[in-house]
Amino acid sequence: MNVKTSYLAGDWKEYTLTNDQGMMVRVLNFGGIIREIQVPDRNGRLENVVLGYRDAADYKEDTNYFGALIGRVAGRIAGASFTLDGREYQLDANDDSNHLHGGAGGFHQVLWEVEPFETDETVGLKLFHESPDGTGGYPGNLLVTVTYTLNHANQLTLDYQAKSDRTTVFTLTNHSHFNLSGDLKSTVHQHQVVIDSSRFAELDEELIPTGRMLDADGTTFDFRQDRKLGDGFGGQTPQHRVAGGGYDHYFLFDWEKVKQVVVSDPVSGRKMEVETDQPGMVMYTDNQVGDDLELTEGMSRKHLGMCFETQGSPASLQHDGFPSVVLPAGELYEKQTVFTFSAE
């Protein structure tokens, strides 16, 4: 187990975590971005399984949030405003008239303080950020700690903690775009996915939840058994059409399975299991990614990756029945998501 630090332009640093199995994770202090994850296929070949830019400077203007920490609130807030304790708060409207992923100055755009650590069984990074009261329009002085931990079992654990001195809204996630084919050899059309969810949020034309939770049974949103992601590509139903020919929806977990998500690539044999204590997640399948981005292994294209954004739901600020994102003053926000990689 070891961690190495590299110095990039300006104040940017890159940290490389490696375990005894050869699994490797590269992280930037800018945005807490997971830039690369190398894991073996069924033949032991190590390859990258996340999308990242060849030139690190491209993250500065990235609108795809590749690998970044997302906050203060992950997801879209309708009308770029919310009401809390009788007071209305105006936020940055950076997605037409709506607020997306913490706004233009969200956590994906800040330099995090980083403390590497090593133990006999793990290697990792503690990332710290202080977000002052009023940042992006949000109330409360907020202290945030995110811990990335890699162990010998090829598990990457993301622990999130935060506390605010005023009641605020908050839900944090990581926006890694996964592709288990390795080094972006193919799109994710053939990836098999299982999600412990029977309900998902209906979206309007602006990708804002309407307030309705739809039954996934009998639809291309039913992932309770193995389903190919490509089943939902192409915009053949209204909900796939509004999402740009794929998925960009919040799935509410049923808590009937041990793993909330299981993803596998039949060609490489790689498998990724996701365990979390978050109430649900947004699955996004790179419907809006164009073909003009220079990534580490080649050029970008539609459906080249998939995100599993474990989080609460900002739709709860406008609608009942969605997991709350309100963080009371002085209360500790504490969540965890674990990504386990294997091959078969």
Side-chain angles (χ1 to χ4, degrees):
M1 309 290 283
N2 67 74
V3 54
K4 295 180 179 179
T5 305
S6 302
Y7 294 87
L8 306 180
D11 295 327
W12 287 29
K13 298 177 183 177
E14 183 177 79
Y15 301 86
T16 303
L17 311 177
T18 308
N19 70 7
D20 290 353
Q21 312 301 316
M23 178 174 167
M24 184 267 282
V25 181
R26 290 201 293 164
V27 178
L28 298 178
N29 62 341
F30 178 77
I33 290 167
I34 296 176
R35 190 178 181 190
E36 184 176 349
I37 300 178
Q38 295 263 352
V39 296
D41 65 5
R42 64 163 61 93
N43 298 314
R45 183 187 299 112
L46 286 165
E47 292 174 313
N48 182 29
V49 295
V50 293
L51 277 61
Y53 289 107
R54 180 180 297 276
D55 184 352
D58 288 342
Y59 288 106
K60 186 65 178 176
E61 305 296 332
D62 180 30
T63 58
N64 294 290
Y65 305 90
F66 288 141
L69 291 174
I70 304 298
R72 289 189 182 191
V73 171
R76 290 176 172 84
I77 297 178
S81 67
F82 65 92
T83 301
L84 186 64
D85 295 335
R87 177 178 171 182
E88 185 176 9
Y89 293 88
Q90 293 292 328
L91 306 175
D92 175 29
N94 64 322
D95 185 54
D96 294 327
S97 63
N98 305 308
H99 177 82
L100 175 63
H101 290 337
F107 290 170
H108 65 291
Q109 287 287 303
V110 304
L111 277 175
W112 292 71
E113 296 181 31
V114 180
E115 291 182 3
F117 64 88
E118 296 181 43
T119 72
D120 290 341
E121 301 298 325
T122 65
V123 62
L125 306 169
K126 283 188 176 295
L127 294 85
F128 307 93
H129 178 60
E130 182 174 351
S131 181
D133 179 46
T135 299
Y138 290 99
N141 294 295
L142 186 74
L143 295 174
V144 185
T145 302
V146 179
T147 306
Y148 293 157
T149 305
L150 175 64
N151 67 15
H152 290 309
N154 285 359
Q155 290 181 318
L156 178 62
T157 299
L158 280 59
D159 287 296
Y160 305 105
Q161 289 188 336
K163 187 177 288 189
S164 173
D165 63 357
R166 294 176 59 190
T167 297
T168 190
V169 294
F170 184 79
T171 185
L172 188 58
T173 196
N174 176 273
H175 207 277
S176 288
H177 297 232
F178 294 97
N179 182 323
L180 301 184
S181 71
D183 289 348
L184 307 184
K185 284 195 292 295
S186 65
T187 63
V188 296
H189 281 72
Q190 302 303 316
H191 280 46
Q192 298 280 340
V193 177
V194 179
I195 304 174
D196 182 18
S197 174
S198 59
R199 293 188 297 157
F200 66 99
E202 181 183 57
L203 300 178
D204 67 16
E205 296 287 340
E206 294 185 317
L207 300 176
I208 299 293
T210 65
R212 295 179 62 203
M213 294 297 295
L214 302 181
D215 186 354
D217 190 46
T219 74
T220 47
F221 289 83
D222 189 351
F223 286 90
R224 287 171 294 178
Q225 303 295 325
D226 264 338
R227 175 182 290 279
K228 284 194 305 184
L229 271 184
D231 288 353
F233 296 170
Q236 63 271 40
T237 69
Q239 280 302 291
H240 288 305
R241 180 183 57 77
V242 298
Y247 299 90
D248 196 0
H249 296 74
Y250 189 82
F251 289 79
L252 192 66
F253 294 136
D254 290 340
W255 304 110
E256 294 182 354
K257 301 179 185 292
V258 175
K259 314 290 186 181
Q260 281 68 64
V261 184
V262 179
V263 189
S264 58
D265 173 47
V267 178
S268 71
R270 290 186 181 92
K271 181 167 73 170
M272 182 178 76
E273 298 168 306
V274 184
E275 293 178 82
T276 186
D277 53 9
Q278 290 279 19
M281 69 163 191
V282 172
M283 182 172 73
Y284 170 59
T285 52
D286 281 4
N287 320 310
Q288 312 299 333
V289 175
D291 58 3
D292 58 346
L293 307 176
E294 188 174 358
L295 306 180
T296 305
E297 294 84 17
M299 299 304 291
S300 61
R301 58 192 188 275
K302 187 173 182 176
H303 300 316
L304 193 57
M306 53 192 173
C307 298
F308 303 99
E309 305 163 51
T310 57
Q311 60 181 86
S313 175
S316 61
L317 297 171
Q318 281 85 28
H319 305 287
D320 295 331
F322 288 79
S324 175
V325 295
V326 174
L327 178 62
E331 183 173 305
L332 181 64
Y333 175 96
E334 196 167 23
K335 297 294 182 181
Q336 182 182 82
T337 298
V338 182
F339 299 95
T340 302
F341 297 90
S342 59
E344 56 188 20

